[in-house]
Amino acid sequence: MIGAIAGDIIGSIFERKNIKTKEFQLFSKGSIFTDDTVLTIATMDSILNSKPFSESYKKWFRKYPNAGFGGNFYRWGFSESMEPYNSWGNGSAMRVSPIGYIGDSMGEVMAKAKESAEVTHNHVEGIKGAQAIAASIYLAKIGKDKDEIRKFVEDTFDYDLSESLYSIRKWYAFDVSCEGSVPQAIRAFLESKDYEDAIRNAVSIGGDSDTIACMTGGIAEAYYKEIPRYIISEVFKIIPEEMVTIIDKFYNSATPGIQKVL
């Protein structure tokens, strides 16, 4: 989803230079797309063309191998093996947002999110993180309020979403695990007032900023139903044309009611 991709790009310049404030410039000369965007596009590609997730993830990784992939994924991406490597990292959750949009039921979303995760992240926490983000997006898409989303996530995945962002900012540091970043990303959405505010929340806690903002952005887009045009315009200046084409096809084929981006 474009909301996830925008979050990745906005958060990219803060991943190694964390800030603990919501007051920052959204885009700069250093803003780039990372592995989060590459694999979100790959998820869309799989959905559009009914291809195995493993095939699309390897294909798009090999197009953009220098986009900041983790070491385990990098080795897997260049290998001939299709076997997963039991990761509990948040890579499974940052690429899952399109699945929350195409599912017609929670059961379908949960199953598809698991399928997308376990090609690499077959650890229980890797699967759980992907399912939690996809489920949050699905619930937001169908009009559930924030309390309903929070309760479902807490009850289903045993994540604690009670800590405020004000409190999280005081101690939060870089953490690439699903367990240590997915709840914080969801909390950033829960405290937001619109899409841009959600992204500012996500970046402001620090940590793995591009991935947290990517996860938050996918949920925020589904909930608020629109992204400011100036954000979309900046994103399309940064990503390659072949990614824009995939996004256009996905939005034109996905569930009616989502914002058209082109």
Side-chain angles (χ1 to χ4, degrees):
M1 305 305 300
I2 195 69
I5 291 169
D8 171 44
I9 293 171
I10 292 168
S12 65
I13 59 174
F14 302 108
E15 180 180 10
R16 299 297 178 182
K17 294 177 62 176
N18 283 173
I19 56 173
K20 296 283 184 172
T21 175
K22 293 171 65 172
E23 301 301 318
F24 59 87
Q25 186 174 329
L26 292 180
F27 298 94
S28 72
K29 290 182 179 179
S31 298
I32 59 172
F33 67 87
T34 78
D35 56 328
D36 303 48
T37 291
V38 175
L39 295 184
T40 298
I41 294 291
T43 299
M44 293 184 194
D45 190 13
S46 277
I47 292 167
L48 286 169
N49 296 296
S50 301
K51 296 189 298 187
F53 289 110
S54 55
E55 180 181 324
S56 290
Y57 293 157
K58 282 182 180 281
K59 167 190 166 184
W60 284 90
F61 161 76
R62 291 175 183 182
K63 284 175 176 284
Y64 301 97
N66 298 318
F69 292 89
N72 286 334
F73 190 96
Y74 193 89
R75 287 185 288 273
W76 178 85
F78 273 130
S79 76
E80 297 307 313
S81 173
M82 291 295 184
E83 293 301 310
Y85 49 88
N86 201 37
S87 176
W88 37 255
N90 55 23
S92 60
M94 57 80 156
R95 67 195 187 204
V96 79
S97 61
I99 291 172
Y101 262 94
I102 55 91
D104 292 325
S105 68
M106 181 59 76
E108 182 180 350
V109 168
M110 294 281 275
K112 204 71 173 175
K114 180 176 185 290
E115 180 185 337
S116 75
E118 65 187 3
V119 298
T120 51
H121 293 55
N122 56 324
H123 188 284
V124 62
E125 292 297 334
I127 293 169
K128 187 169 86 169
Q131 289 179 320
I133 294 297
S136 297
I137 290 170
Y138 173 74
L139 292 172
K141 181 193 75 170
I142 64 173
K144 299 299 183 181
D145 63 31
K146 290 180 179 179
D147 284 340
E148 291 173 301
I149 295 170
R150 177 192 55 76
K151 187 175 188 308
F152 181 88
V153 171
E154 289 186 326
D155 291 350
T156 305
F157 303 105
D158 198 30
Y159 285 149
D160 181 3
L161 301 180
S162 64
E163 187 175 10
S164 70
L165 293 182
Y166 177 81
S167 174
I168 292 170
R169 285 189 195 100
K170 294 180 179 180
W171 62 268
Y172 193 65
F174 198 84
D175 190 333
V176 299
S177 71
C178 277
E179 193 173 17
S181 60
V182 169
Q184 290 77 17
I186 297 173
R187 181 71 199 191
F189 155 70
L190 292 173
E191 286 196 28
S192 66
K193 62 184 180 182
D194 55 31
Y195 175 83
E196 181 178 328
D197 190 54
I199 297 301
R200 291 186 180 277
N201 282 345
V203 171
S204 75
I205 66 172
D208 190 7
S209 296
D210 59 330
T211 298
I212 294 171
C214 177
M215 295 186 289
T216 299
I219 307 169
E221 178 184 5
Y223 186 82
Y224 294 113
K225 311 301 184 192
E226 63 179 356
I227 301 169
R229 279 285 165 186
Y230 66 87
I231 292 180
I232 295 173
S233 177
E234 289 299 319
V235 167
F236 285 165
K237 292 176 185 177
I238 294 169
I239 62 174
E241 186 62 33
E242 65 176 346
M243 292 186 181
V244 176
T245 299
I246 292 288
I247 291 168
D248 186 32
K249 289 179 180 178
F250 184 83
Y251 276 78
N252 285 329
S253 65
T255 305
I258 63 177
Q259 180 189 17
K260 300 302 181 187
V261 295
L262 293 179

